[in-house]
Amino acid sequence: MKDERKEISRRDVLIGAGKVAAGAAIVSVGVASFVSNGKASGTTVYPYKKLDIDEVARIAHETYFTKFCAETTLTGLFKPLTVSVGEPYTSFPLNSVFWAHGGLMGWGTACGTLIGAGMAVGLITAGDSTKVTTPGGRAPVAVGEAIINDVIAFYANENLPQYKPAAGQAKYEVKNQSVSDTPICHISVGKWMEKEDVKFFGIERKERCARLSADIAMYTAKLLNEWADGTYKPRNEPLANALDNQITSQGNCGDCHGDNVPTAKGA
């Protein structure tokens, strides 16, 4: 007898729920219910339920002042999922990415917000083998990688920070935004500090990074929500610099290796 059951994609299993019985097929799929702590190919599945972007931002902003950028961004994304989904989010060790603050333990390399966001996207989309076409028409890439690439591009190309906390929640009123043109922490922070005319260890810079953490958590949630709806399309070309320059690279070397180094104001 012909099996008329519909084939269910990997993404549908991750974002929709299945009711699984021994020897039975998945009989219902949708974003309203989710498989808890499922297993696929020996890896824990992180089911996804669409996030309230405003809630994600609020949590990220208020978390920053004790957890800094990487753990903060991951907390903004995972904390609501502990309520809407439960495990495996409930027992996930959020402090496992704390070390990425300050561009990896203060080394000023990749911004910790991108480490936290990348961790979240990587875990949630790990089982989705869908390939998506990039804007430039190069070889399709895994959807999770495309999402992470778009988050990085947002960080580098947008005037940030954009998030404005509710009345009474800000520890300083940020006056300026800046475009980093890079995912590198010390350049991003340095350009903003120069515009704002503030020092690194002051509350002014901390408030800026708290808002930036909210921005990155929000944008990541936005793209994951699109993924959950099946409407996500890549905005940017992955590995564009590596393909163009024949090495993993950036296009703003002069920001540091030239006359444009932001001047730090001291402690």
Side-chain angles (χ1 to χ4, degrees), residues 17 56 92 107 133 173 176 195 206 233 237 250 264:
V56 167
F92 186 88
W107 283 76
T133 303
E173 288 307 318
N176 291 286
K195 288 187 74 172
K206 292 178 183 177
K233 292 182 180 180
E237 193 72 26
Q250 297 183 59

Side-chain angles (χ1 to χ4, degrees), residues 198-263:
V198 297
K199 299 176 181 179
F200 180 78
F201 290 104
I203 194 62
E204 300 91 348
R205 197 275 311 162
K206 292 178 183 177
E207 176 66 31
R208 176 264 185 186
C209 288
R211 296 187 186 200
L212 183 67
S213 297
D215 286 332
I216 299 307
M218 286 177 73
Y219 193 69
T220 304
K222 170 184 167 64
L223 298 188
L224 284 171
N225 284 352
E226 291 178 8
W227 171 75
D229 284 336
T231 61
Y232 168 74
K233 292 182 180 180
R235 277 84 159 161
N236 300 275
E237 193 72 26
L239 292 176
N241 287 346
L243 292 169
D244 290 343
N245 303 328
Q246 296 301 298
I247 187 172
T248 49
S249 55
Q250 297 183 59
N252 62 328
C253 301
D255 282 2
C256 280
H257 304 282
D259 298 327
N260 299 319
V261 181
T263 301

Side-chain angles (χ1 to χ4, degrees), residues 79-124:
K79 189 173 181 180
L81 292 169
T82 65
V83 177
S84 62
V85 177
E87 290 293 351
Y89 298 100
T90 305
S91 58
F92 186 88
L94 294 169
N95 62 355
S96 63
V97 296
F98 179 81
W99 57 271
H101 67 86
L104 313 189
M105 284 303 300
W107 283 76
T109 60
C111 178
T113 62
L114 301 175
I115 305 299
M119 174 74 77
V121 174
L123 289 170
I124 290 167

